[in-house]
Amino acid sequence: MTTVARLPWDRVQTPTPDIVPGFDVERVRADFPILEQTVHGHKLVYLDNAATSHKPKAVLDAILHYYQCDNANIHRGVHYLSERATEEYETARKVVQAFLHAAQASEIIFVRSATEAINLVAQTYGRTHVGHGDEVLITAMEHHSNIVPWQLLCEEKAAKLRVAPINDNGELVLDEFEALLGARTKIVAVGHVSNALGTINPVGEIVRLAHQRNIPVLVDGAQAVPHMAVNVVDLDCDFYAFSGHKLYGPTGIGVLYGKASLLDRMPPYQGGGDMISSVTFEKTVYNKLPHKFEAGTPHMAGAVGLRAAIEYLNRLGLDTIEAYEHQLLTYATEQVAKIPGLRLIGTAREKAGVLSFVMDGIHPHDIGTILDQEGIAIRTGHHCAQPVMERFGVDATARASISFYNTKEEIDRLVAGIQKVREVFG
Ligand SMILES: Cc1ncc(COP(=O)(O)O)c(C=O)c1O
């Protein structure tokens, strides 16, 4: 299928990089102590938010407070501190439930990361539902963590991994996706937002098409939740995965949302303490949801930090964040596209957060190194999405990824930095 490359501003009015009403970016920046530093003698410009985002003071304070005042092992103790730590942990679960608009708190499983959430589903739902000759359907824009767990499963079960194609803008070709949904398709796994391209996938439509054929859908939301409000009930997805550290929360904590009707029927992922209701050498009876999937001592402080991050974002307002970041991305796209010899990789009509590009005759690593000397942090490489690189005929890209704490002035510094790269490579 041939497509005409379109740029995001084909469909938007003249972008206005003005501040969104009620959003004071300088005040917001003051909440992030790490942004105050200089790098190589320049004020830090952090544009690597898709890799990991920084933590507001509210998150740092919540973690410190947890360890200073509330720390104890949870669920098992009758003493006061254990009860308080349990309360903190279970409150965090309810905050995540509200954040995703899930029907029940028991549908929220705390895991290590989006990667672990996807592996959990592949190894439990996947191993019990995917058999010899069956198919798992993903898209050509997935992160490796939404490819390799399914490859491992398909290898073990002699099943097939099918891949729905993307067009030259980096958008999913929906009719070809639909054509790949067949009688042997046992699960669809699709990214909500591509980390390499910034494409926002039409997840609601994907779920509708899959459900018409009774196929469940896992959504990898690692790059979506930091940028937009997500409602898993409206999307009607069966599983939704994300990582805390990209959502302004701590590392080592992530979330798997799953519909209770599916989670209930899935075997546990790992065995150990807390995931059981009784154990004898003859037989173990598993605990109820969500504990069945949380073996061992969980990352209590991580859950507390994640709650603080979500509450911080709620105070800013996800809709405000989305509107501000959209303006910034539109402005950045317009500015970098003016640079001769620069090609944007990923020009979908619906985009969030990410500006990937290559430059004629200049390796992305050289772009990243020179920008670093200017105090500007971007990412270069394949972004754990090697099939995307292959699709666009490049080995690597330079990727600037934005957050609500970035400013128009920082975008101007990025553009000036790229101009400097051009001068150096003459
Ligand atoms: C789209 C997407 N999915 C999954 C992941 C994996 O996240 P983590 O490494 O936190 O598990 C990433 C990380 O970059 C990502 O961008």
Side-chain angles (χ1 to χ4, degrees), residues 13 77 116 139 170 196 220 237 271-272 293 354 366 373 385 393 410 420:
Q13 305 293 308
E116 187 173 51
T139 81
D220 168 5
C237 58
F293 291 105
V354 166
D366 292 328
Q373 289 304 310
E410 290 184 319
K420 188 157 186 184

Side-chain angles (χ1 to χ4, degrees), residues 38-58:
T38 55
V39 171
H40 302 309
H42 302 276
K43 199 170 168 218
L44 169 67
V45 174
Y46 186 79
L47 291 168
D48 194 17
N49 296 287
T52 199
S53 57
H54 292 310
K55 321 306 169 200
K57 212 165 164 302

Side-chain angles (χ1 to χ4, degrees), residues 146 195 287 390:
N146 201 26
N195 68 309
N287 206 341
E390 201 184 326

Side-chain angles (χ1 to χ4, degrees), residues 196-212:
L197 302 166
T199 309
I200 304 174
N201 272 318
V203 167
E205 182 62 4
I206 287 170
V207 171
R208 197 182 62 77
L209 293 171
H211 282 185
Q212 278 174 354

Side-chain angles (χ1 to χ4, degrees), residues 137 162 173-182 185 209 213:
L137 179 57
R162 307 298 299 265
V173 184
L174 209 56
D175 49 359
E176 297 199 31
F177 167 83
E178 186 174 8
L180 284 166
L181 292 168
T185 314
L209 293 171
R213 296 149 177 98

